[in-house]
Amino acid sequence: MRSRYCAYTLGLIDYLVTTTLPAQQTQLEVEQMRSWSEQSRWLGLEVEQVTGGAGSNRAQVTFTARWADPDESVHGHRECSDFKQIGERWYFIDPNHSVKAGRNEPCPCGSGRKFKQCCML
């Protein structure tokens, strides 16, 4: 979660895309993400709780991110984000985008593996 927050502060949108669950990457609104990243003044991230992770391929991170708009309106967003480990990498599961595929169908991320062995939530 910290690396994704830093990516927003630095405008590293490609990193945000590649660290999102592969089956969801084509659904992301990249230009909207870029605009929000560039137009915000980032004020901080507080990670409140982490569950799962070590020894599991699932994790949840509860955090609060703070930022200011160009008009200096300050905002905070509290969220409990889900992550999934595939291979050696952890991926953010975007709650705004569903992944649709049958368990035995090819994964929509294009890995060539079955959905149940890849990006199945």
Side-chain angles (χ1 to χ4, degrees):
M1 191 62 241
R2 287 183 180 97
S3 70
R4 289 181 56 84
Y5 176 83
C6 289
Y8 268 112
T9 69
L10 298 170
L12 302 175
I13 307 308
D14 290 344
Y15 178 82
L16 293 166
V17 172
T18 60
T19 58
T20 299
L21 190 69
Q24 295 179 315
Q25 291 175 4
T26 59
Q27 300 172 28
L28 298 176
E29 297 174 11
V30 175
E31 289 310 312
Q32 191 174 36
M33 293 166 66
R34 187 178 322 282
S35 176
W36 185 46
S37 170
E38 292 171 354
Q39 294 178 12
S40 298
R41 185 169 55 87
W42 299 94
L43 303 174
L45 173 72
E46 178 186 351
V47 175
E48 301 166 24
Q49 183 177 6
V50 178
T51 58
S56 172
N57 69 344
R58 299 295 295 254
Q60 286 188 321
V61 178
T62 303
F63 69 93
T64 300
R66 296 181 307 110
W67 72 94
D69 288 337
D71 67 0
E72 292 302 314
S73 300
V74 175
H75 303 275
H77 175 75
R78 186 171 190 268
E79 180 177 314
C80 180
S81 290
D82 291 307
F83 292 82
K84 180 172 181 168
Q85 185 178 25
I86 302 172
E88 297 297 316
R89 294 193 65 181
W90 284 94
Y91 295 93
F92 170 67
I93 300 173
D94 192 324
N96 300 308
H97 303 292
S98 62
V99 179
K100 297 176 182 153
R103 291 176 49 85
N104 291 313
E105 292 179 27
C107 188
C109 77
S111 69
R113 298 187 339 218
K114 289 183 181 180
F115 181 54
K116 70 181 176 185
Q117 297 171 336
C118 192
C119 292
M120 186 169 167
L121 308 176

